Amino acid sequence: MNITIERIDGRGIPLRGNDIDTDRIIPARYLKEITFTNMGSYLFYDERFDEMGQKKEHILNVSRFFGGSILLVNKNFGCGSSREHAAHSIQKFGIRAIIGESFSNIFASNCLSLGIPVVQVSSEDSEFLMTTIERHPQTVIVISISKGEITCSKKIIKFTMPEHAITALLAGNWNSTQLLLSNMFEVRTMAVGLPYIKGF
């Protein structure tokens, strides 16, 4: 069944810093797991915990932001390697959407395939959102995919997102695996005609 995503609301988590790469989002040693079940536990692990497993200073360890489901970031978030585990760790942690100034295209695509909207705002609007949430963590942020708008503390902010991503979220066909499975007859029909399947 296709799940459409038109509106997301929740509290924010302001994660400041430019060029936060996927190596930081999820350390490489956790890529060996064969399922994504525990990925949420590893999100920013080396920045959140020391060698003894004790908490370090990090926004995800700050109690007033616990339960936040909309991640606020700055420029070039998700750069570096294209590991899909980064998007999975964010999803499993409970993040339902990401608002930022700019993103790695591959990271944004990986998020879209999980139904996580990745929306882009100006530097000024990003600063407004982060400052507002830092001062008032209980503030609810509302993202309307169809309107291209974010509402926060009575302010309406316009965002940008690739047209194909908006269409996929609103139509409910963002899950590429589900899309393939629901069109298995067409997939098999195409496959038998491919020369590298039946021989040249």
Side-chain angles (χ1 to χ4, degrees):
M1 182 178 70
N2 292 351
I3 299 175
T4 60
I5 299 174
E6 194 285 325
R7 170 189 164 116
I8 291 179
D9 56 77
R11 293 187 291 109
I13 304 174
L15 177 63
R16 291 186 179 272
N18 296 326
D19 305 313
I20 294 177
D21 61 38
T22 53
D23 295 320
R24 293 172 61 187
I25 294 172
I26 181 156
R29 63 185 178 280
Y30 297 118
L31 306 186
K32 62 185 178 183
E33 296 205 10
I34 59 175
T35 72
F36 296 115
T37 304
N38 297 319
M39 287 293 145
S41 303
Y42 310 138
L43 182 64
F44 288 104
Y45 192 90
D46 289 344
E47 298 189 10
R48 295 171 58 204
F49 303 98
D50 62 21
E51 295 81 359
M52 303 300 293
Q54 299 300 308
K55 288 183 178 180
K56 296 159 60 173
E57 287 189 14
H58 191 276
I59 198 68
L60 296 184
N61 291 337
V62 178
S63 60
R64 68 180 183 275
F65 299 117
F66 288 178
S69 58
I70 298 178
L71 192 62
L72 308 175
V73 300
N74 292 120
K75 296 177 182 177
N76 200 27
F77 187 78
C79 58
S81 72
S82 58
R83 62 186 65 164
E84 60 181 312
H85 300 69
H88 279 277
S89 66
I90 286 171
Q91 181 200 48
K92 296 299 183 185
F93 188 81
I95 301 300
R96 299 172 56 218
I98 308 176
I99 302 171
E101 297 174 57
S102 61
F103 302 89
S104 156
N105 289 333
I106 295 177
F107 172 80
S109 295
N110 287 338
C111 286
L112 177 63
S113 70
L114 298 176
I116 303 173
V118 171
V119 305
Q120 189 168 335
V121 297
S122 68
S123 298
E124 293 76 14
D125 287 333
S126 175
E127 181 60 31
F128 168 81
L129 289 167
M130 288 192 170
T131 301
T132 298
I133 298 305
E134 286 168 347
R135 293 174 178 171
H136 308 286
Q138 298 304 314
T139 301
V140 174
I141 299 170
V142 179
I143 302 172
S144 172
I145 302 299
S146 60
K147 293 180 180 178
E149 294 178 349
I150 299 164
T151 304
C152 177
S153 192
K154 298 183 180 179
K155 179 175 182 178
I156 296 177
I157 297 168
K158 290 291 186 180
F159 69 77
T160 59
M161 177 189 285
E163 192 61 39
H164 76 273
I166 294 174
T167 301
L169 291 168
L170 295 178
N173 57 14
W174 45 267
N175 187 332
S176 56
T177 302
Q178 183 60 45
L179 192 61
L180 281 173
L181 291 175
S182 64
N183 293 279
M184 191 52 68
F185 176 78
E186 290 84 354
V187 171
R188 287 174 175 156
T189 300
M190 174 64 71
V192 297
L194 297 174
Y196 50 82
I197 297 293
K198 66 178 184 179
F200 288 93

